[in-house]
């Protein structure tokens, strides 16, 4: 057994006023942040918990509506909560910049300003604006002992925390006033605010980055990347919280429990020296859902010894027999081309499902292109660079590469038509952080356009990023036209293709747990408003579909039944169930086996 770490305990730690919880999607950021907030309030501290995630599930954890205004949590004296709403913030931000010009400038000019402020990056800038205002507003911050930020999955968090430097540098270098955010006069006032925010984030006496991770290779790799990159921009006061440490019950002979324990111990043993050098604390793998105040209160103190024989009762787990992933493959085999998108909360297994389907279709002789728009891009980790078929190609939409290529293309196209001053204006426009979002969007459209003679399977980013990407397509079309003078056919055809069920299959992936299912349900509602209806729900990593006898895992399985029934009876048109797999799903052989398992009946 390897070295274990001290248990994360707020009453024995000196915590800074600002606590940022970050990490890969699905590692337990919201649960840990919320439990910390409740624990500090119970110690008599005045606490504010803030969600900056476009796909926030803070309301699920606290089981109450949390608006974009500071609201008391009734059952926890001393605790307030707020959900920063990126869309509402963007609308207010847009109106603040455009409103003063409505009666002063010609309508076409005002319309152009509104278009410039309609992209997804404006939503992120506006959300950051709210975050910066909160962090630097003394009349708010002085009222609390601690402000806890439950941030979005790592890729979004890095972007959010890097924005102060990006925009500060852009404003310092800007001389013409060009920006996809509109007139410089609307941004100049923010320079001092951004500088103050950078100072607060990098002050080790005021801010601690709580990197939440799990004893999982992908989660640790992304946690390390976040730790290094945030350290590079000055956020060096970091603590690692290793969530979900599994304890084996020596009195129970259970191969699934043994496999979880063995995998975790091996991952911890192989952890990099960089991560070992951090202050590391651990939290247990718990059998109960981390929703509701009572569950949050016992999260930090729970021990498996408390489980009695009730958790080992012999019950019928599944509400009905559900097919396995093979059912989706058989459905797709009737086609020769189309777009397949896996969506869902971070950490639910989108990459695994997308890659397994791509491999199985390619092995069956279908031409397949597998790609990801996720900044974390885990396809290479899952495939291990194996290509089992000449019918399969793999790619990644790389933000840095796509942005550079897009910038170069626009400049080279324009240099023959624009004078020196106009070119300088355009170059400054293209140095804006917004250009990255435009470039990624266009690359996404180009990949989807390849589905004319093959399957294009897209492993998408976590829910919030995906929704921003899809919802922004029309405004980005206008932005591309404004920047480069034309809209590619791939962009024009994107939304009609995604909305056509004959051309696009949307697959929602979830775990049979409260937060992933509730978030997946909201995702489905948003997709339906955008005229996109999911074809399948994939219920992944289910203990209820196994014969485990370990009391902790049995308790998890019993809880799962509620959410499996919710999906089958209420949410999904069609659903498939994947049992918890004892083996690490890495490499083509194991991934193909996942699709070939067939129906699941508590196997």
């Amino acid at each position: 057994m390897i070295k274990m770490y001290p248990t994360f305990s707020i009453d024995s730690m000196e915590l800074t006023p600002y606590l940022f919880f970050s990490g890969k999607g699905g590692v337990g950021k919201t649960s840990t942040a919320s439990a910390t907030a409740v624990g500090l309030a119970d110690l008599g501290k005045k606490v504010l918990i803030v969600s900056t995630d476009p796909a926030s599930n803070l309301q699920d954890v606290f089981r109450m509506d949390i608006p974009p205004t500071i609201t008391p949590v009734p059952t926890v004296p001393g605790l307030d909560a707020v959900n920063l709403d990126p869309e509402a913030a963007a609308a207010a931000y847009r109106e603040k910049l455009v409103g003063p010009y409505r009666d002063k400038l010609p309508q076409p000019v005002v319309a152009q300003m509104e278009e410039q402020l309609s992209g997804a990056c404006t939503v992120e800038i506006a959300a950051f604006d709210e975050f910066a205002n909160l962090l630097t507003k003394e009349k708010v911050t002085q009222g609390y002992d601690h402000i806890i930020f439950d941030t979005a999955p790592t890729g979004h968090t890095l972007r959010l925390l890097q924005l102060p430097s990006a925009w500060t540098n852009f404003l310092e270098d800007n001389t013409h006033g060009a920006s996809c955010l509109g007139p410089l006069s609307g941004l100049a006032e923010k320079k001092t605010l951004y500088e103050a925010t950078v100072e607060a984030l990098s002050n080790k006496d005021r801010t601690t980055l709580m990197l939440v991770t799990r004893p999982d290779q992908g989660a640790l790799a992304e946690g390390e990347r976040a730790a290094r990159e945030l350290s590079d921009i000055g956020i060096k006061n970091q603590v690692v919280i290793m969530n979900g440490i599994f304890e084996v019950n020596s009195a129970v002979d259970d191969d699934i429990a043994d496999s979880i324990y063995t995998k975790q111990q091996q991952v911890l043993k192989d952890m990099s020296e960089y991560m070992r050098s951090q202050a590391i604390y651990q939290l247990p793998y718990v059998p109960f859902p981390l929703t509701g105040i009572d569950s949050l209160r016992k999260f930090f103190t729970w021990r498996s010894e408390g489980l009695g024989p009730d958790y080992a009762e012999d019950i019928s787990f599944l509400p009905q027999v559900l097919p396995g992933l093979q059912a989706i493959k058989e459905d797709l085999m009737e086609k020769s081309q189309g777009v397949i998108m896996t969506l869902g909360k971070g950490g639910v297994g989108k990459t695994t499902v997308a890659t397994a389907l791509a491999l199985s279709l390619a092995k069956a002789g279908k031409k397949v292109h597998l790609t990801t728009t996720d900044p974390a891009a885990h396809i290479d980790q899952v495939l291990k660079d194996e290509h089992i078929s000449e019918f399969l190609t793999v790619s990644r939409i790389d933000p840095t590469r796509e942005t550079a290529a897009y910038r170069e293309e626009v400049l080279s196209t324009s240099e023959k038509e624009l004078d020196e001053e106009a070119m300088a204006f355009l170059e400054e426009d293209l140095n804006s952080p917004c250009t990255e979002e435009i470039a990624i969007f266009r690359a996404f459209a180009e990949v989807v356009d390849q589905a004319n003679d093959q399957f294009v399977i897209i492993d998408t980013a976590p829910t919030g990023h995906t929704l921003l990407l899809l919802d922004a397509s029309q405004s980005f079309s206008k932005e591309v036209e404004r920047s480069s003078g034309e809209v590619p056919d791939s962009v024009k055809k994107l939304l009609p293709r995604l909305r056509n069920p004959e051309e696009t299959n949307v697959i929602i992936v979830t775990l049979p747990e409260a937060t992933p299912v509730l978030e997946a349900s909201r995702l489905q509602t948003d997709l339906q408003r955008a005229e996109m209806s999911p074809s399948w729900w994939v219920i992944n990593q289910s203990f209820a579909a196994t014969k485990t006898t370990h009391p902790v895992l049995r308790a998890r399985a019993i809880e799962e039944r509620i959410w499996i029934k919710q999906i089958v009876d209420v949410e999904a048109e069609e659903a498939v169930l994947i049992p918890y797999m004892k083996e690490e799903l890495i490499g083509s052989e194991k991934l193909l086996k996942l699709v070939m398992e067939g129906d699941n009946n508590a196997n």
Side-chain angles (χ1 to χ4, degrees):
M1 181 175 175
I2 68 163
K3 170 189 173 183
M4 297 310 292
Y5 302 98
T7 300
F8 181 68
S9 175
I10 57 173
D11 53 0
S12 62
M13 298 174 65
E14 292 187 12
L15 298 176
T16 55
Y18 305 139
L19 303 173
F20 284 84
F21 285 79
S22 182
K24 182 179 184 294
V27 295
K29 292 186 302 297
T30 300
S31 302
T32 309
S34 300
T36 300
V38 171
L40 287 170
D42 286 347
L43 290 174
K45 305 291 186 181
K46 183 66 176 172
V47 183
L48 173 65
I49 184 167
V50 183
S51 175
T52 59
D53 191 338
S56 171
N57 47 48
L58 207 59
Q59 64 276 3
D60 300 329
V61 173
F62 283 101
R63 293 178 177 169
M64 60 177 281
D65 290 333
I66 300 178
T69 54
I70 295 175
T71 302
V73 177
T75 53
V76 186
L79 177 59
D80 294 339
V82 60
N83 253 334
L84 298 186
D85 184 335
E87 295 293 344
Y93 182 80
R94 188 160 46 241
E95 184 56 31
K96 181 180 179 181
L97 292 185
V98 177
Y101 297 96
R102 290 193 187 281
D103 298 327
K104 298 177 181 179
L105 296 176
Q107 197 280 330
V109 176
V110 174
Q112 184 185 30
M113 290 171 63
E114 288 182 317
E115 287 181 8
Q116 291 174 17
L117 288 160
S118 295
C121 75
T122 302
V123 177
E124 291 203 16
I125 292 292
F128 169 73
D129 227 34
E130 294 283 293
F131 155 80
N133 279 315
L134 185 66
L135 192 65
T136 57
K137 194 175 293 182
E138 286 192 10
K139 68 179 182 180
V140 174
T141 59
Q142 287 181 352
Y144 296 97
D145 298 301
H146 298 281
I147 298 181
I148 294 172
F149 293 89
D150 168 36
T151 53
T154 306
H156 177 81
T157 301
L158 289 173
R159 182 167 176 77
L160 181 70
L161 298 183
Q162 286 172 324
L163 277 172
S165 298
W167 282 105
T168 297
N169 293 339
F170 180 64
L171 292 177
E172 287 174 352
D173 296 338
N174 192 303
T175 57
H176 293 271
S179 167
C180 71
L181 286 182
L184 180 60
S185 58
L187 280 173
E189 66 187 66
K190 302 295 181 182
K191 187 171 184 291
T192 302
L193 175 66
Y194 295 156
E195 288 173 344
T197 306
V198 172
E199 181 183 351
L201 292 175
S202 57
N203 187 332
K204 65 182 179 60
D205 296 324
R206 297 173 67 190
T207 300
T208 305
L209 180 73
M210 316 294 278
L211 275 169
V212 185
T213 187
R214 288 185 181 273
D216 168 83
Q217 195 172 40
L220 275 173
E222 190 159 328
E224 178 171 344
R225 183 175 67 87
R228 288 180 181 273
E229 292 188 22
L230 291 168
S231 179
D232 288 343
I233 63 172
I235 305 173
K236 299 182 183 296
N237 187 15
Q238 302 180 357
V239 169
V240 175
I241 301 174
M242 194 72 66
N243 188 24
I245 298 291
F246 189 78
E247 300 174 19
V248 167
N249 188 328
S250 58
V252 179
D253 182 17
D254 185 82
D255 58 350
I256 293 177
D258 290 341
S259 74
I260 295 173
Y261 178 80
T262 301
K263 281 191 287 188
Q264 286 193 355
Q265 293 296 306
Q266 187 61 49
V267 168
L268 293 172
K269 181 180 178 181
D270 295 340
M271 191 164 52
S272 72
E273 288 301 320
Y274 183 90
M275 291 297 282
R276 289 179 190 277
S277 68
Q278 306 296 315
I280 301 177
Y281 297 86
Q282 72 176 54
L283 284 171
Y285 187 103
V286 297
F288 49 86
L290 287 165
T291 57
I293 302 301
D294 291 341
S295 293
L296 293 173
R297 282 194 167 118
K298 67 180 180 180
F299 181 29
F300 295 159
T301 58
W302 181 85
R303 296 294 178 269
S304 62
E305 294 84 7
L307 287 180
D310 288 348
Y311 285 101
E313 62 179 307
D314 186 16
I315 61 173
S316 175
F317 278 77
L318 297 181
Q320 67 182 73
V321 177
L322 294 174
L325 206 53
Q326 173 76 3
I328 298 181
K329 182 212 171 179
E330 290 173 354
D331 184 45
L332 294 172
M333 283 295 294
E334 298 179 6
K335 304 179 180 180
S336 59
Q337 63 188 51
V339 179
I340 302 164
M341 301 174 65
T342 56
L343 290 88
K345 179 178 167 60
V348 297
K350 296 186 299 293
T351 301
T352 299
V353 170
T355 308
L357 287 172
L359 286 166
S360 64
L361 288 171
K363 188 175 182 182
K366 301 289 187 181
K367 191 177 177 183
V368 180
H369 181 82
L370 172 65
T371 191
T372 181
T373 62
D374 191 336
H378 299 120
I379 285 179
D380 289 344
Q381 296 175 25
V382 173
L383 262 183
K384 287 294 183 185
D385 295 324
E386 293 181 30
H387 285 221
I388 63 145
S389 171
E390 60 184 294
F391 297 101
L392 176 64
T393 56
V394 180
S395 70
R396 174 195 173 204
I397 296 176
D398 179 82
T400 302
R401 185 176 64 239
E402 295 296 341
T403 303
Y406 175 72
R407 185 181 294 118
E408 183 179 347
E409 178 185 334
V410 173
L411 289 173
S412 63
T413 302
S414 305
E415 62 183 353
K416 295 178 182 179
E417 302 173 7
L418 301 179
D419 60 26
E420 184 177 345
E421 184 176 355
M423 279 297 291
F425 186 97
L426 179 60
E427 281 195 74
E428 290 186 5
D429 201 15
L430 291 170
N431 284 330
S432 154
C434 295
T435 300
E436 179 179 304
E437 291 284 355
I438 299 167
I440 294 172
F441 165 76
R442 199 177 70 155
F444 172 80
E446 289 171 355
V447 168
V448 170
D449 198 44
Q450 296 177 25
N452 294 322
D453 62 349
Q454 64 180 333
F455 284 105
V456 173
I457 299 182
I458 305 169
D459 166 39
T460 56
T463 308
H465 179 78
T466 300
L467 288 175
L468 291 176
L469 187 65
L470 295 177
D471 286 347
S473 55
Q474 288 179 322
S475 58
F476 268 131
S477 296
K478 298 171 184 176
E479 183 60 35
V480 171
E481 185 173 23
R482 185 184 72 84
S483 298
S484 62
E486 62 178 342
V487 179
D489 285 342
S490 59
V491 174
K492 293 177 181 176
K493 294 186 294 186
L494 178 61
L495 263 188
R497 170 171 263 157
L498 294 181
R499 286 170 170 163
N500 185 349
E502 296 300 316
E503 295 185 85
T504 299
N505 285 89
V506 177
I507 299 172
I508 289 182
V509 185
T510 187
L511 302 177
E513 301 170 11
T515 299
V517 172
L518 291 170
E519 189 163 319
S521 178
R522 286 193 290 269
L523 168 61
Q524 177 165 259
T525 300
D526 287 334
L527 289 170
Q528 288 170 341
R529 278 201 294 267
E531 300 176 41
M532 296 173 62
S533 295
S535 309
W536 294 85
W537 279 52
V538 175
I539 307 167
N540 196 22
Q541 293 290 72
S542 170
F543 292 113
T546 71
K547 294 180 179 178
T548 180
T549 57
H550 191 280
V552 172
L553 302 184
R554 294 284 287 188
R556 293 285 289 259
I558 291 169
E559 181 68 27
E560 283 181 6
R561 291 180 304 165
I562 300 169
W563 300 106
I564 293 172
K565 192 173 191 315
Q566 170 76 12
I567 292 168
V568 172
D569 292 351
V570 178
E571 304 290 353
E573 289 290 328
E574 300 283 351
V576 303
L577 184 70
I578 301 175
Y580 174 84
M581 307 300 287
K582 290 179 288 185
E583 296 178 305
E584 199 76 42
L585 292 173
I586 294 176
S588 58
E589 184 178 344
K590 292 175 182 176
L591 287 163
L592 281 168
K593 184 179 178 183
L594 183 67
V595 182
M596 302 304 175
E597 288 293 322
D599 291 347
N600 296 290
N601 186 10
N603 47 20

